[in-house]
Amino acid sequence: MEFVTGGDTYSISNIRETDMLLSFTFVSQLSIPSHICVYEKKEKKLYISIDRGYSNPKDQLPDFHPQWFSHKNEAVGFISAEMFLEYVNSTSSIKRDDALQKKIDNFKEDDNPIIIIGKMKK
């Protein structure tokens, strides 16, 4: 969907819906990059990402920047192992779940990118 107002062109794409959430990508030609938006239906609240990502305060992991959505409403993205480890090392004082920390301990800077799959709440 695309519309024009005030000399700027806006578009909305990647629309996904569950019983609880509505998510979409919002783009303005004058304001690149795009923004990921999530609307909580029950709370009637709209969240707009500033830097195109989702934050995950629960696990204290880097912000997640999905590149596409699967047919199962999963947000899929990736981060380089080097960038991931830089973030983890800069937040080393944070206590993480043991299983997660064990996985993190096995990463090396020259590993392949880490694929991240985020599942939308039903």
Side-chain angles (χ1 to χ4, degrees):
M1 171 179 9
E2 193 170 279
F3 56 97
V4 178
T5 181
D8 195 4
T9 302
Y10 301 91
S11 65
I12 295 174
S13 60
N14 298 324
I15 300 168
R16 303 286 180 202
E17 185 173 18
T18 68
D19 291 341
M20 296 173 54
L21 303 172
L22 177 68
S23 76
F24 55 92
T25 303
F26 176 80
V27 181
S28 160
Q29 285 185 337
L30 297 178
S31 170
I32 304 214
S34 60
H35 299 281
I36 296 170
C37 306
V38 176
Y39 178 72
E40 288 187 358
K41 295 176 182 179
K42 184 178 178 183
E43 301 296 323
K44 297 183 178 175
K45 289 184 180 179
L46 177 65
Y47 300 92
I48 302 173
S49 69
I50 302 300
D51 62 355
R52 295 182 46 212
Y54 293 109
S55 85
N56 184 356
K58 178 182 171 222
D59 294 324
Q60 297 299 317
L61 295 173
D63 289 348
F64 170 48
H65 303 276
Q67 276 74 42
W68 67 90
F69 286 86
S70 75
H71 66 282
K72 296 179 182 178
N73 276 347
E74 297 168 328
V76 182
F78 61 90
I79 185 172
S80 72
E82 181 180 12
M83 288 179 66
F84 180 83
L85 289 172
E86 282 177 18
Y87 178 85
V88 167
N89 291 334
S90 72
T91 59
S92 60
S93 63
I94 296 171
K95 174 74 174 130
R96 293 184 175 89
D97 174 83
D98 290 339
L100 176 61
Q101 189 61 51
K102 190 179 261 188
K103 289 178 184 177
I104 290 171
D105 291 342
N106 288 323
F107 288 131
K108 296 183 292 280
E109 285 186 6
D110 60 349
D111 280 346
N112 289 328
I114 299 162
I115 296 174
I116 302 167
I117 301 173
K119 296 184 180 189
M120 292 181 65
K121 294 178 182 178
K122 300 275 181 186

Short mmCIF file of all heavy atoms in Angstrom, two decimals, residues 4-38:
data_model
loop_
_atom_site.label_atom_id
_atom_site.label_comp_id
_atom_site.label_asym_id
_atom_site.label_seq_id
_atom_site.Cartn_x
_atom_site.Cartn_y
_atom_site.Cartn_z
N VAL A 4 0.54 9.27 -0.83
CA VAL A 4 1.33 10.49 -0.89
C VAL A 4 0.63 11.57 -0.09
O VAL A 4 -0.58 11.75 -0.18
CB VAL A 4 1.50 10.96 -2.36
CG1 VAL A 4 2.27 12.26 -2.42
CG2 VAL A 4 2.15 9.89 -3.20
N THR A 5 1.42 12.30 0.72
CA THR A 5 0.88 13.43 1.47
C THR A 5 2.00 14.41 1.75
O THR A 5 3.13 14.00 2.07
CB THR A 5 0.19 12.99 2.78
OG1 THR A 5 -0.34 14.13 3.44
CG2 THR A 5 1.13 12.27 3.71
N GLY A 6 1.73 15.68 1.63
CA GLY A 6 2.72 16.70 1.95
C GLY A 6 4.01 16.58 1.17
O GLY A 6 5.08 16.92 1.66
N GLY A 7 3.95 16.07 -0.06
CA GLY A 7 5.14 15.96 -0.88
C GLY A 7 5.99 14.74 -0.59
O GLY A 7 7.03 14.54 -1.20
N ASP A 8 5.59 13.89 0.34
CA ASP A 8 6.34 12.69 0.66
C ASP A 8 5.50 11.47 0.29
O ASP A 8 4.28 11.50 0.35
CB ASP A 8 6.68 12.65 2.15
CG ASP A 8 7.76 11.63 2.50
OD1 ASP A 8 8.30 10.99 1.58
OD2 ASP A 8 8.04 11.46 3.69
N THR A 9 6.17 10.40 -0.10
CA THR A 9 5.49 9.15 -0.43
C THR A 9 5.76 8.16 0.69
O THR A 9 6.90 7.98 1.11
CB THR A 9 6.01 8.58 -1.76
OG1 THR A 9 5.79 9.54 -2.79
CG2 THR A 9 5.29 7.29 -2.11
N TYR A 10 4.71 7.53 1.18
CA TYR A 10 4.80 6.55 2.26
C TYR A 10 4.32 5.20 1.74
O TYR A 10 3.45 5.14 0.87
CB TYR A 10 3.90 6.95 3.44
CG TYR A 10 4.22 8.29 4.02
CD1 TYR A 10 3.59 9.45 3.57
CD2 TYR A 10 5.15 8.40 5.05
CE1 TYR A 10 3.89 10.68 4.12
CE2 TYR A 10 5.45 9.63 5.61
CZ TYR A 10 4.82 10.76 5.14
OH TYR A 10 5.12 11.98 5.69
N SER A 11 4.87 4.15 2.29
CA SER A 11 4.36 2.83 1.95
C SER A 11 4.35 1.93 3.19
O SER A 11 5.15 2.11 4.11
CB SER A 11 5.19 2.17 0.84
OG SER A 11 6.50 1.91 1.28
N ILE A 12 3.41 1.02 3.18
CA ILE A 12 3.27 0.03 4.25
C ILE A 12 3.34 -1.34 3.59
O ILE A 12 2.66 -1.59 2.59
CB ILE A 12 1.94 0.21 5.01
CG1 ILE A 12 1.94 1.55 5.74
CG2 ILE A 12 1.71 -0.94 5.99
CD1 ILE A 12 0.62 1.89 6.40
N SER A 13 4.20 -2.21 4.14
CA SER A 13 4.35 -3.54 3.56
C SER A 13 4.60 -4.55 4.67
O SER A 13 4.67 -4.19 5.84
CB SER A 13 5.51 -3.54 2.56
OG SER A 13 6.71 -3.18 3.21
N ASN A 14 4.81 -5.80 4.29
CA ASN A 14 5.08 -6.89 5.23
C ASN A 14 4.07 -6.94 6.37
O ASN A 14 4.42 -7.09 7.53
CB ASN A 14 6.50 -6.76 5.81
CG ASN A 14 7.56 -6.86 4.77
OD1 ASN A 14 7.43 -7.62 3.82
ND2 ASN A 14 8.62 -6.09 4.91
N ILE A 15 2.81 -6.81 6.04
CA ILE A 15 1.76 -6.82 7.05
C ILE A 15 1.53 -8.24 7.53
O ILE A 15 1.32 -9.16 6.73
CB ILE A 15 0.45 -6.23 6.47
CG1 ILE A 15 0.70 -4.79 6.01
CG2 ILE A 15 -0.67 -6.30 7.51
CD1 ILE A 15 -0.41 -4.20 5.19
N ARG A 16 1.59 -8.43 8.85
CA ARG A 16 1.38 -9.72 9.50
C ARG A 16 0.41 -9.53 10.66
O ARG A 16 0.48 -8.52 11.36
CB ARG A 16 2.68 -10.30 10.05
CG ARG A 16 3.75 -10.47 9.03
CD ARG A 16 3.44 -11.65 8.14
NE ARG A 16 4.50 -11.81 7.16
CZ ARG A 16 4.36 -12.44 6.03
NH1 ARG A 16 3.22 -13.00 5.73
NH2 ARG A 16 5.36 -12.54 5.20
N GLU A 17 -0.44 -10.54 10.87
CA GLU A 17 -1.41 -10.42 11.95
C GLU A 17 -1.57 -11.74 12.70
O GLU A 17 -1.57 -12.81 12.10
CB GLU A 17 -2.77 -9.99 11.39
CG GLU A 17 -3.80 -9.73 12.45
CD GLU A 17 -5.08 -9.15 11.89
OE1 GLU A 17 -5.32 -9.24 10.67
OE2 GLU A 17 -5.86 -8.62 12.70
N THR A 18 -1.67 -11.62 14.02
CA THR A 18 -2.03 -12.74 14.88
C THR A 18 -3.23 -12.27 15.70
O THR A 18 -3.70 -11.15 15.54
CB THR A 18 -0.87 -13.15 15.82
OG1 THR A 18 -0.65 -12.10 16.77
CG2 THR A 18 0.40 -13.45 15.05
N ASP A 19 -3.70 -13.11 16.60
CA ASP A 19 -4.83 -12.71 17.44
C ASP A 19 -4.47 -11.51 18.33
O ASP A 19 -5.32 -10.69 18.63
CB ASP A 19 -5.28 -13.87 18.33
CG ASP A 19 -5.93 -14.99 17.53
OD1 ASP A 19 -6.37 -14.74 16.39
OD2 ASP A 19 -5.99 -16.12 18.05
N MET A 20 -3.19 -11.41 18.72
CA MET A 20 -2.76 -10.36 19.65
C MET A 20 -2.10 -9.16 18.98
O MET A 20 -2.14 -8.05 19.51
CB MET A 20 -1.78 -10.93 20.68
CG MET A 20 -2.39 -11.98 21.59
SD MET A 20 -1.17 -12.77 22.66
CE MET A 20 -0.39 -11.41 23.46
N LEU A 21 -1.44 -9.38 17.83
CA LEU A 21 -0.57 -8.36 17.25
C LEU A 21 -0.85 -8.12 15.77
O LEU A 21 -1.31 -9.00 15.07
CB LEU A 21 0.89 -8.77 17.37
CG LEU A 21 1.45 -9.06 18.74
CD1 LEU A 21 2.84 -9.64 18.63
CD2 LEU A 21 1.46 -7.80 19.59
N LEU A 22 -0.50 -6.92 15.35
CA LEU A 22 -0.45 -6.57 13.95
C LEU A 22 0.92 -5.93 13.74
O LEU A 22 1.29 -5.01 14.47
CB LEU A 22 -1.56 -5.57 13.60
CG LEU A 22 -1.61 -5.05 12.17
CD1 LEU A 22 -1.99 -6.18 11.22
CD2 LEU A 22 -2.59 -3.91 12.06
N SER A 23 1.70 -6.44 12.80
CA SER A 23 3.01 -5.85 12.54
C SER A 23 3.12 -5.49 11.06
O SER A 23 2.50 -6.13 10.20
CB SER A 23 4.15 -6.78 12.96
OG SER A 23 4.32 -7.81 12.04
N PHE A 24 3.90 -4.46 10.78
CA PHE A 24 4.09 -4.02 9.40
C PHE A 24 5.34 -3.17 9.31
O PHE A 24 5.88 -2.70 10.32
CB PHE A 24 2.87 -3.25 8.89
CG PHE A 24 2.48 -2.07 9.73
CD1 PHE A 24 2.97 -0.80 9.47
CD2 PHE A 24 1.61 -2.23 10.81
CE1 PHE A 24 2.61 0.28 10.25
CE2 PHE A 24 1.24 -1.14 11.59
CZ PHE A 24 1.73 0.12 11.32
N THR A 25 5.81 -2.98 8.08
CA THR A 25 6.96 -2.12 7.82
C THR A 25 6.44 -0.82 7.22
O THR A 25 5.61 -0.84 6.30
CB THR A 25 7.93 -2.80 6.84
OG1 THR A 25 8.32 -4.05 7.37
CG2 THR A 25 9.17 -1.95 6.62
N PHE A 26 6.92 0.30 7.75
CA PHE A 26 6.51 1.63 7.31
C PHE A 26 7.72 2.34 6.72
O PHE A 26 8.78 2.40 7.34
CB PHE A 26 5.98 2.42 8.51
CG PHE A 26 5.62 3.83 8.21
CD1 PHE A 26 4.42 4.13 7.60
CD2 PHE A 26 6.48 4.87 8.53
CE1 PHE A 26 4.08 5.44 7.31
CE2 PHE A 26 6.16 6.18 8.25
CZ PHE A 26 4.95 6.47 7.64
N VAL A 27 7.58 2.85 5.50
CA VAL A 27 8.69 3.52 4.83
C VAL A 27 8.23 4.88 4.31
O VAL A 27 7.16 5.00 3.73
CB VAL A 27 9.20 2.69 3.62
CG1 VAL A 27 10.37 3.38 2.95
CG2 VAL A 27 9.59 1.31 4.05
N SER A 28 9.07 5.89 4.54
CA SER A 28 8.88 7.21 3.98
C SER A 28 10.08 7.49 3.08
O SER A 28 11.21 7.23 3.46
CB SER A 28 8.83 8.26 5.10
OG SER A 28 9.11 9.54 4.59
N GLN A 29 9.84 8.00 1.88
CA GLN A 29 10.96 8.28 0.98
C GLN A 29 11.91 9.31 1.58
O GLN A 29 13.09 9.31 1.28
CB GLN A 29 10.46 8.76 -0.38
CG GLN A 29 9.90 7.65 -1.22
CD GLN A 29 9.52 8.12 -2.61
OE1 GLN A 29 9.28 9.30 -2.84
NE2 GLN A 29 9.46 7.18 -3.54
N LEU A 30 11.41 10.20 2.40
CA LEU A 30 12.25 11.23 3.01
C LEU A 30 12.91 10.76 4.29
O LEU A 30 13.78 11.43 4.83
CB LEU A 30 11.43 12.50 3.29
CG LEU A 30 10.85 13.19 2.07
CD1 LEU A 30 10.02 14.40 2.49
CD2 LEU A 30 11.94 13.60 1.09
N SER A 31 12.49 9.62 4.82
CA SER A 31 13.01 9.13 6.09
C SER A 31 13.45 7.67 5.96
O SER A 31 12.75 6.77 6.37
CB SER A 31 11.93 9.24 7.17
OG SER A 31 12.33 8.58 8.34
N ILE A 32 14.59 7.46 5.38
CA ILE A 32 15.12 6.10 5.25
C ILE A 32 16.03 5.89 6.43
O ILE A 32 16.77 6.79 6.80
CB ILE A 32 15.85 5.95 3.91
CG1 ILE A 32 14.87 6.32 2.84
CG2 ILE A 32 16.51 4.61 3.78
CD1 ILE A 32 14.87 5.68 1.55
N PRO A 33 16.06 4.82 7.13
CA PRO A 33 15.54 3.51 6.77
C PRO A 33 14.07 3.33 7.14
O PRO A 33 13.44 4.21 7.72
CB PRO A 33 16.41 2.57 7.61
CG PRO A 33 16.70 3.34 8.84
CD PRO A 33 16.82 4.77 8.38
N SER A 34 13.57 2.15 6.83
CA SER A 34 12.19 1.81 7.16
C SER A 34 12.07 1.58 8.66
O SER A 34 13.05 1.43 9.37
CB SER A 34 11.77 0.56 6.39
OG SER A 34 12.61 -0.52 6.73
N HIS A 35 10.83 1.57 9.12
CA HIS A 35 10.55 1.33 10.53
C HIS A 35 9.62 0.13 10.66
O HIS A 35 8.68 -0.02 9.90
CB HIS A 35 9.87 2.55 11.17
CG HIS A 35 10.71 3.78 11.11
ND1 HIS A 35 11.75 4.01 11.97
CD2 HIS A 35 10.67 4.84 10.28
CE1 HIS A 35 12.31 5.16 11.68
NE2 HIS A 35 11.68 5.68 10.65
N ILE A 36 9.92 -0.72 11.63
CA ILE A 36 9.06 -1.85 11.92
C ILE A 36 8.07 -1.40 12.99
O ILE A 36 8.45 -0.82 14.01
CB ILE A 36 9.87 -3.06 12.41
CG1 ILE A 36 10.80 -3.53 11.28
CG2 ILE A 36 8.95 -4.18 12.87
CD1 ILE A 36 11.81 -4.54 11.70
N CYS A 37 6.80 -1.64 12.74
CA CYS A 37 5.74 -1.22 13.65
C CYS A 37 5.00 -2.44 14.17
O CYS A 37 4.74 -3.37 13.41
CB CYS A 37 4.77 -0.30 12.93
SG CYS A 37 5.56 1.12 12.13
N VAL A 38 4.66 -2.42 15.45
CA VAL A 38 3.89 -3.49 16.06
C VAL A 38 2.75 -2.86 16.83
O VAL A 38 2.96 -1.97 17.67
CB VAL A 38 4.76 -4.36 17.01
CG1 VAL A 38 3.91 -5.41 17.71
CG2 VAL A 38 5.91 -5.01 16.25
#
